[in-house]
Amino acid sequence: MFALDDELTGTILDCPGGASSFTAEATRRGARVTAVDPVYTTPATELTRHILAETERGTAWTTATSSRYVWDFYGSPDGHSAMRRAAAHQFAHDLVGHPERYVAGQLPSLPFEAGEFDIVLSSHLLFTYADRLDFAFHTSAIAELLRVTRGEVRVFPLADQAGAPQPDLVDHVRRALAAAGATTQLRTVSFEFQRGVSEMLVVRHG
């Protein structure tokens, strides 16, 4: 979803990392990945149970609202469910085997040094929860993500949980970041799951 095919090298921060298998997969392919999320304070066994329960709940939701999604990547709701369960198990295995890769922390204040990472990725938090995370949070959160990278920040998707694009909020955030000296760009990616949602926000130091 982040158009990373040729960029799985160097140091990467996944924020929030959640129960994604990205850290395990990208590390296997040669990157040095750190995931950060407040849920990592939860003991691994308890977190695994919660993740699997959430996977089933998410499967029920996507199945009931399947017309909102593009199934090219997953094939079907059943394929999506199977991939999510596999990812949850891979995450749990990696969390137990390599706990140093998973750091408890949350935006808008992260426990990392300035410029610590080559690239920072953020999925399904910013803009996804636009109904409860306001403009001030979005600008401070992205500014913090930019602080900890010497490269760029990539944010995806730019739509809320129901798949509704958030162009006004995106524009306001981009203007605020530009006023603070950052440069921003909207880039189309090849991944599309929420129907019509295929843009990411790229932020760099000015």
Side-chain angles (χ1 to χ4, degrees):
M1 71 179 68
F2 288 108
L4 284 172
D5 290 345
D6 299 322
E7 300 173 68
L8 282 175
T9 59
T11 53
I12 301 174
L13 177 67
D14 184 15
C15 177
S20 169
S21 61
F22 173 77
T23 296
E25 282 288 334
T27 300
R28 183 181 60 81
R29 295 173 59 180
R32 299 187 303 280
V33 186
T34 299
V36 61
D37 196 296
V39 300
Y40 299 153
T41 59
T42 306
T45 53
E46 180 182 340
L47 183 55
T48 299
R49 287 195 299 270
H50 175 73
I51 289 163
L52 292 174
E54 285 296 300
T55 297
E56 295 307 314
R57 184 190 64 80
T59 294
W61 168 256
T62 54
T63 300
T65 59
S66 60
S67 61
R68 296 183 180 185
Y69 301 97
V70 177
W71 296 102
D72 295 348
F73 181 78
Y74 296 105
S76 67
D78 285 343
H80 176 252
S81 177
M83 290 183 69
R84 286 198 66 193
R85 284 196 300 270
H89 284 292
Q90 186 176 12
F91 160 77
H93 179 77
D94 199 60
L95 175 65
V96 172
H98 301 279
E100 73 281 358
R101 296 174 182 166
Y102 300 89
V103 177
Q106 63 183 330
L107 291 167
S109 180
L110 299 176
F112 305 111
E113 299 295 327
E116 189 167 337
F117 300 94
D118 293 313
I119 188 169
V120 174
L121 311 176
S122 184
S123 69
H124 297 91
L125 173 68
L126 300 168
F127 307 109
T128 298
Y129 297 100
D131 60 332
R132 66 197 76 170
L133 301 176
D134 62 13
F135 163 75
F137 178 86
H138 279 74
T139 53
S140 61
I142 295 177
E144 177 69 350
L145 295 174
L146 189 62
R147 180 188 70 81
V148 301
T149 182
R150 50 187 170 271
E152 64 185 33
V153 177
R154 298 184 186 184
V155 181
F156 180 89
L158 308 183
D160 66 16
Q161 287 180 295
Q166 301 296 307
D168 292 340
L169 180 57
V170 171
D171 286 345
H172 289 323
V173 169
R174 293 182 70 189
R175 286 197 293 269
L177 292 169
T183 61
T184 67
Q185 173 191 11
L186 297 181
R187 187 184 305 175
T188 301
V189 299
S190 59
F191 179 82
E192 180 185 347
F193 183 45
Q194 290 174 298
R195 192 171 296 279
V197 178
S198 58
E199 275 192 328
M200 70 176 173
L201 175 65
V202 180
V203 186
R204 302 184 184 91
H205 295 281

